[in-house]
Amino acid sequence: MRDEVRHAIDPYQASAPLLERLKGCAERSAAAFHTPGHKRGQGISSILSDWLGQAVFQADLPELPELDNLFAPDGVIQQAQALAAAAFGAEQTWFLANGSTCGVEAAVLATCQPGEKIILPRNVHQSAIAALILSGAVPVFVQPDYDASWDVAHGVSLDAIEAAIEQHPDAKAVLVVSPTYYGVVSPVQSIAEIAHQHNIPLLVDEAHGAHFAFHPELPPSALSQGADVVVQSIHKTLSALTQAAMLHVQGDRIDRDRLIRSLSLVQSTSPNYLLLASLDAARQQMATQGYALMEQALNLAKRARQELRQIPELALLDDRSNQVSSFADLDLTRITIDVTGLGLTGFAADEQLHETFGVTAELPGLRHLTFIVSLGNTEADIDRLVSAFHQLATELKPQNQPEPNSLYPSAFRLLPSALSLLTPRQAFFSAAVSVPIAHAIDHISAELVCPYPPGIPVLLPGEVITAEAIEYLQKVLAAGGIVAGCTDSTLNTLSIVKG
Ligand SMILES: Cc1ncc(COP(=O)(O)O)c(C=O)c1O
């Protein structure tokens, strides 16, 4: 597929049927007596239109007859989705207006019934935990490889998945996150093969890997490795608007009718056409210029890596330094930098970079920062990134730096999954009580508690709250991070299942 994309562009891929139809509808004169209430921008607040102009609001239209219907497509949405399937290497593709979040939820709802097992790594995104709560599926957690030198959880090894399948051959799905937020790709092909030997479908959360199909120097896409369902945030690494995503399917292990019903449970009945049209545009862009755009992004990222490596205080996460079995490949456009040599936490470095230099990372952590280089970046952006780090390392470097290891005495070890007898769904729906955090230890969490980003929960509903988990969360807060998903984001209190 990747070679096809590079060498033989289907002329039809140059069109954008949904976008073109939306433009036609927006330009047509009409008396609108339908939603949205601003009526093609005529009633939009002037503080919005003075800023953004009228065109965007003229195009903010509902499901007019010409515009097809996301939940029963037989017109331009169907055509746009078929073009996307061909461009990304799927048999069938669905546009999502509610992010990969709803795609992951629908994939689990479509494969697992209440009480059925799903094998998944403990460091899944919170959308997968939401999927467990919604579906009632019972998680069989496998531990991802933990890289202590980076305080980062990578992917899952084939051995871990194989052992879980052998112990739980009745599992209805395997879900993996590949790539991780740090660009680390799991051995998806071998995982697919072992899952398929047991007739178990493989669902891949490829939220951060929508660009993979378009350049051979990027890791292979999960679809090309045999995954049955792949969910991609087209907005994260390609050019779609925030929240616009796709779900791709191939093969016959997935009940597509149930998938369609599942998607309609987790999406708005009023999907935003600007988001949907942006998916059509992003697909058209990648199908026609994807190779060149990815070549450019890779070159920028390689240059950034090379120049950042010259700064002795920094260390870069790269493929040579992390040979664990779950580290099958690395997306070079994802740059993770350990900043402890600067005597700063990732959060403090993030603040300095953002406030002083206008350089904004995707993801700060306790020890490191992760940057996404994409088709939208320029040489000037890389200049600014490198120069900001040079200045951080020289002019702004704090005096009397503490030893990095004294700053980070016990980094986050992926917590052994201390699940109680309650599934996430049972715990979520149990009677709960809010208690001071110190009293919560050894009780069962009624809520999900999750530093964001990366959105990987430290506590799940149904999990026993450990002192180690609380210590880590408090450290994130103290270092300037955000803890989300729970009722009290200051973490003075936690919700526990009533004993
Ligand atoms: C691994 C992973 N999966 C899923 C999601 C959800 O994606 P979206 O923001 O498109 O809903 C995210 C978002 O950060 C993510 O990091």
Side-chain angles (χ1 to χ4, degrees):
M1 179 62 212
R2 298 195 297 159
D3 284 347
E4 277 164 39
V5 168
R6 187 147 51 109
H7 299 304
I9 297 166
D10 173 354
Y12 198 34
Q13 288 284 352
S15 68
L18 174 56
L19 180 138
E20 286 151 19
R21 185 64 63 80
L22 183 62
K23 187 162 178 278
C25 286
E27 285 169 358
R28 193 173 152 226
S29 154
F33 293 97
H34 52 68
T35 63
H38 63 67
K39 312 284 176 175
R40 298 167 172 256
Q42 294 174 155
I44 202 77
S45 157
S46 60
I47 55 172
L48 264 181
S49 55
D50 288 351
W51 174 34
L52 296 174
Q54 281 291 334
V56 69
F57 305 110
Q58 279 159 1
D60 182 21
L61 292 169
E63 283 114 330
L64 300 177
E66 304 89 320
L67 289 178
D68 207 357
N69 187 308
L70 184 63
F71 300 102
D74 62 2
V76 282
I77 291 182
Q78 186 185 45
Q79 290 162 25
Q81 291 185 153
L83 284 167
F88 286 86
E91 279 175 21
Q92 197 171 355
T93 293
W94 283 264
F95 285 2
L96 309 176
N98 194 20
S100 286
T101 298
C102 76
V104 170
E105 290 167 355
V108 177
L109 283 164
T111 45
C112 301
Q113 299 196 18
E116 290 182 338
K117 293 177 192 163
I118 179 167
I119 296 170
L120 71 177
R122 175 59 181 77
N123 61 332
V124 280
H125 181 259
Q126 59 172 318
S127 54
I129 306 305
L132 297 176
I133 294 170
L134 292 172
S135 66
V138 179
V140 174
F141 283 117
V142 291
Q143 291 302 331
D145 278 335
Y146 174 69
D147 183 338
S149 62
W150 277 87
D151 187 25
V152 158
H154 291 320
V156 277
S157 66
L158 178 61
D159 289 350
I161 295 287
E162 203 166 4
I165 292 180
E166 248 143 51
Q167 248 188 305
H168 303 276
D170 53 338
K172 295 298 174 196
V174 172
L175 169 75
V176 298
V177 179
S178 180
T180 63
Y181 226 121
Y182 309 98
V184 175
V185 172
S186 292
V188 175
Q189 187 165 27
S190 322
I191 293 174
E193 278 165 15
I194 192 82
H196 293 167
Q197 279 165 23
H198 293 79
N199 202 25
I200 302 175
L202 174 63
L203 323 176
V204 179
D205 174 349
E206 199 174 39
H208 292 270
H211 53 307
F212 285 0
F214 300 96
H215 198 289
E217 273 186 52
L218 291 166
S221 69
L223 282 166
S224 74
Q225 302 295 287
D228 301 271
V229 177
V230 176
V231 180
Q232 296 175 331
S233 295
I234 308 299
H235 68 94
K236 286 193 197 297
T237 58
L238 299 179
S239 64
L241 295 181
T242 296
Q243 225 170 302
M246 291 185 196
L247 183 146
H248 308 286
V249 169
Q250 62 185 351
D252 54 10
R253 290 182 195 85
I254 300 298
D255 177 343
R256 296 189 195 184
D257 291 342
R258 193 163 140 198
L259 179 63
I260 290 167
R261 292 198 297 276
S262 303
L263 280 169
S264 71
L265 287 187
V266 289
Q267 298 210 82
S268 166
T269 53
S270 314
N272 187 307
Y273 269 83
L274 292 167
L275 298 189
L276 301 181
S278 80
L279 286 171
D280 201 21
R283 182 275 314 154
Q284 187 267 7
Q285 180 186 37
M286 293 311 287
T288 55
Q289 311 158 54
Y291 179 80
L293 291 168
M294 290 303 101
E295 178 85 356
Q296 176 191 307
L298 278 162
N299 285 340
L300 289 176
K302 285 181 199 165
R303 193 195 125 204
R305 287 171 171 277
Q306 199 178 1
E307 294 180 13
L308 290 165
R309 272 206 188 90
Q310 308 305 315
I311 303 175
E313 288 85 354
L314 305 180
L316 268 66
L317 182 74
D318 68 24
D319 39 0
R320 282 168 298 284
S321 59
N322 293 279
Q323 296 300 346
V324 286
S325 60
S326 66
F327 198 119
D329 212 338
L330 179 70
D331 172 9
L332 289 176
T333 65
R334 203 48 72 105
I335 304 179
T336 297
I337 305 174
D338 187 324
V339 294
T340 52
L342 296 170
L344 295 170
T345 63
F347 296 110
D350 186 46
E351 199 177 311
Q352 294 244 24
L353 288 168
H354 180 68
E355 311 240 314
T356 314
F357 303 103
V359 170
T360 310
E362 164 68 13
L363 168 69
L366 279 176
R367 303 182 63 100
H368 41 69
L369 287 169
T370 300
F371 297 83
I372 300 176
V373 179
S374 77
L375 49 72
N377 284 111
T378 61
E379 295 283 355
D381 293 339
I382 304 299
D383 292 345
R384 211 160 152 176
L385 171 73
V386 174
S387 144
F389 267 112
H390 268 296
Q391 290 189 59
L392 263 193
T394 50
E395 295 155 35
L396 298 177
K397 191 168 168 177
Q399 305 301 306
N400 306 323
Q401 293 173 61
E403 276 296 301
N405 286 344
S406 72
L407 256 179
Y408 317 105
S410 81
F412 176 41
R413 280 179 298 285
L414 247 227
L415 312 161
S417 179
L419 271 187
S420 68
L421 291 177
L422 300 183
T423 64
R425 181 185 173 89
Q426 288 165 336
F428 182 86
F429 288 111
S430 296
V433 57
S434 172
V435 297
I437 192 155
H439 298 175
I441 296 170
D442 293 335
H443 288 276
I444 297 170
S445 179
E447 58 185 351
L448 180 145
V449 188
C450 182
Y452 213 98
I456 295 165
V458 166
L459 283 174
L460 309 181
E463 214 165 37
V464 176
I465 300 166
T466 61
E468 192 186 23
I470 287 177
E471 187 198 350
Y472 173 73
L473 289 166
Q474 285 175 330
K475 213 182 287 175
V476 169
L477 277 187
I482 292 169
V483 174
C486 45
T487 329
D488 176 5
S489 57
T490 65
L491 283 190
N492 288 324
T493 57
L494 270 182
S495 285
I496 58 168
V497 172
K498 260 189 186 165

